[in-house]
Structure formats: structure tokens, C-alpha cells
Amino acid sequence: MRYQLYYWPTIQGRGEYVRLALEEAGADYTDVARGKGGMGAMMKMMDVHKGTPPFAPPFLEAGKLVIGQTANILLYLGARHGLAPKPDAGKLWVHQLQLTITDFVMEIHDTHHPLGPSLYYEDQKAPAKKRTEEFWKSRVPKYLGYFEDLVAANGGAFVTGRRATYVDLSLFQIVEGLRYAFPNRMRGFEKKVPRLLELHDRIAERPNIKAYLASERRIPFNEDGIFRRYKALDL
Amino acid sequence: MRYQLYYWPTIQGRGEYVRLALEEAGADYTDVARGKGGMGAMMKMMDVHKGTPPFAPPFLEAGKLVIGQTANILLYLGARHGLAPKPDAGKLWVHQLQLTITDFVMEIHDTHHPLGPSLYYEDQKAPAKKRTEEFWKSRVPKYLGYFEDLVAANGGAFVTGRRATYVDLSLFQIVEGLRYAFPNRMRGFEKKVPRLLELHDRIAERPNIKAYLASERRIPFNEDGIFRRYKALDL
């Protein structure tokens, strides 16, 4: 089955967690909105009068299914491509971790959009600075410390044990993104999460991920996505 | 099996979506932190060195399982208590809608905490006012309009069709909460979502929910939860 992934064509954003899973799985997929007429096709799929319309991209067409919400797409893909444990208990645990990453991603987004997604960054620079300060003071240590401790408690290879799951792919992306958006702050912080950095490197070396990162399918970071490099917000 | 629910004992908060599902299901459960020694027991469960430690409350102990993240708990309970469709496609669809509610709840929280959860409301009153303005101008219409359209498209009884799911219980709570936190703004908005209000009333009349709402198990709204009534943020 060939998947159709629908996401904004010029950013990594939330779609990137799905792209990484599809790439690691070696799945056959089209990144629809990056092709000709793709944006129109994506908008049409969001028509609320048909089937199971998603609230927002990303969403995945898989045969007759249309699945929205990043973590929900990963729940589906994880079970089909060996990117999550098979028993229900393991499935729920990995999904729980992904939902914690979802919360963190929302907080990362809010560093440059504390007044909400409907205003430009340029209209909220002062509160963005304040929120970013708090983010690095209390939220980054809490979230990354949690995952660092889990890696340690589970033996050091991946977050949930010896096998990589979609959560490990997402944590790779979190480290990449924080390094891009806050190079100075992240440099100062990295010594506190050595195992997470090792996990990041281990993911980057997996053949399918390595090939993806070197390809044109990987959109470079930019200031329209979740991770934005604004000098005023770094140190 | 008797469930153990772990959540902050003095607020509805995110735990309320789980409480509503347990009550509707007529499930046997203990709201642990509201009992003697319960807060200590909750903190102990969050020790990262044991099993599957949650990042934050709420979490549910179900036999040997410890399940965190509100939507994940509902995914589990929905399948076991007839609060979600049985086929995978329906399960994913209902979960997707719950994750959209999760996003909305985060945005509701951010109306009084735009600079992040680590500062007090009193330290962020001006940005809170601005964010609340944007929230009512663009986010409430977008989220509630989406669910209103879904109820209409599916025949008017519940969001996904003829049977109530945990998503309908959560939408009941959203309407209750917005009415509590923003009585004036909500009064002005309600005419735009008549079907959602009917759904709210339909849920409120279900015997188990009705009994729960009249009981002491239902904690009253207050200014420590997600929905807070601050005069400066209403109209």
C-alpha cells in the first residue's frame, strides 16, 4: 500500500515526526502537498462534510483510512511497521511517551508564539523572550531530564529498551530542532543529557534515516516551522 | 477490576475527562489523591526508576498497567467500556478527535498562562488579556466550529454518530468550562454552536453523569484548574 502524507510543503513542522517514521520503515509514500496540485488536494481532504476530516495537517491516507493528529498517525504506523511493541501494554506506553513529546512540541512552538498562533512573531517579541527564558529555565530540564532518566533506567540504548520505536525518532528530531533554534542555549545544556545525545547519534546513523537526511526529501529548518532560530531568543 | 485514578485532588483539570469516562461507564475506581495519604502515593508512582512512570498526572492504574496522558487513558477505557467504536478505524477516528480536544485544552490553559506554566497568572496579566482576545477571535470559532460541523454532518446526536463516546463527554466538559470561565464571552458565542449545546444537554441528562454531577465526587470549578474565571479576561 502506498501512503499519502498530507502536510505543509515548505516546513518540517509536526509532519516531520511522521516523515521520519515512514522513512525509517522504508514505506512507500507520497508527500502530497509537495507535488503539483498538492496543496489543493490537501485542502479538499479537510472538507468537514466527508468521512473523517482532520482538524489540521498532518494527516495520512492509508487505503480507505484518513488519520489525523501526529501521535495518532504514529500509533497506526508503529503497529504496522515494527516501530512499537506488539503487546497492548507496550503500545500504550510508547504512545504515552509520544503524547508527552506532543506537549513539549506545543511548548516549543509557544516560545515564539506565546500570544497564540493567530499573530506573527513580530507582534509578540517581548512576551516571546520572557516565555523562552522560562522554557529554558524550567521546561527543557523537566522534559529532557525525564527522557534522559528513562534511557538510563532502560539500559541506555533506546527510550523503551533495546529496540528503536517512533519515540526515539521523535527525540532525535527534538535534539536536532533545539540545536537549530537555540544553538547557544543548547550547547550550554547538552552536558545534562548525555544519553539523549547518544540516542540522537544512534538514530542519525541508521541507514534509512541517514539516507533521508542527505536527500532532498528532508526540508531544511527555517523560520516558518516549530523550531525557529531567532537571535533575540537565543543567548 | 478496581481502577486507581491519580490526579490532583482539588481541581477538575485534565483528570476530569477521565473521571467523566469512569463515571459514565459505571466503573469501580478510587480517586487516590483525594484519600488519606493519597498525595504521597501519587508522587511515589512518578518515580522514574520504576516501570512506566508518567510525566505528569493524570494517570490510571489498571491491574498491572500504569497509563499516563489523558487521551491515552481514554483510548484504553473507551475500548473496555463501550465508549468508543470497536473497529480499528473507528477507534483511531475517536482518538484523533480527543487529541484535537487535547490541543484545545492546552490553548484554553494558555489564555491565563501565555508565558508558560512556571509563572503565576498574576505575573502575566497583560499578555493573558491579549492571548484571550485572540483565543476568542480565532481559536474558539475554529475549534468549536469544527465540532459543530461534525455533529451536523453525523446526524445531530453525537459527534461520531448515534452512540456517545468519550469525545462527547469531553465536549460536555469543554462547554461547561467555557461557560464557567468566560460567562459573558460564551453567552455571546453560543448561538453559533446550537448542536454542540444540545449535545452538552444530552450528556448532562445521562443517568450516570447526572448522578456524578450532583455528587461530592464532582469538584467545583475554581481558579487553580484549566478553566479559570478571571474578570479581566471575560468581557
Side-chain angles (χ1 to χ4, degrees), chain A residues 24 42 46 56 68 75 90 104 151 166 224 232:
Chain A
E24 169 62 22
M42 181 161 94
M46 294 176 68
L75 178 68
F104 190 40
V151 179
Y166 56 76
D224 294 314

Side-chain angles (χ1 to χ4, degrees), chain B residues 74-75 77-87 90-92 94-95 160 163-167:
Chain B
L74 293 174
L75 177 67
L77 290 175
R80 268 143 204 88
H81 296 280
L83 290 172
K86 286 206 183 307
K91 247 187 218 139
L92 287 165
V94 168
H95 189 53
T160 58
R163 292 196 59 179
T165 69
Y166 57 75
V167 169

Side-chain angles (χ1 to χ4, degrees), chain B residues 185-196:
Chain B
R185 291 184 187 269
M186 188 60 176
R187 202 173 301 123
F189 183 79
E190 290 200 352
K191 63 183 174 301
K192 294 185 183 158
V193 288
R195 288 176 188 88
L196 220 45

Side-chain angles (χ1 to χ4, degrees), chain A residues 53 68 95-96 110 118 134 146, chain B residues 53 68 95-96 110 114 118 134 146:
Chain A
H95 189 53
Q96 170 181 333
D110 277 1
S118 47
E134 288 299 317
Y146 172 73
Chain B
H95 189 53
Q96 170 181 331
D110 276 2
S118 47
E134 289 299 318
Y146 172 73

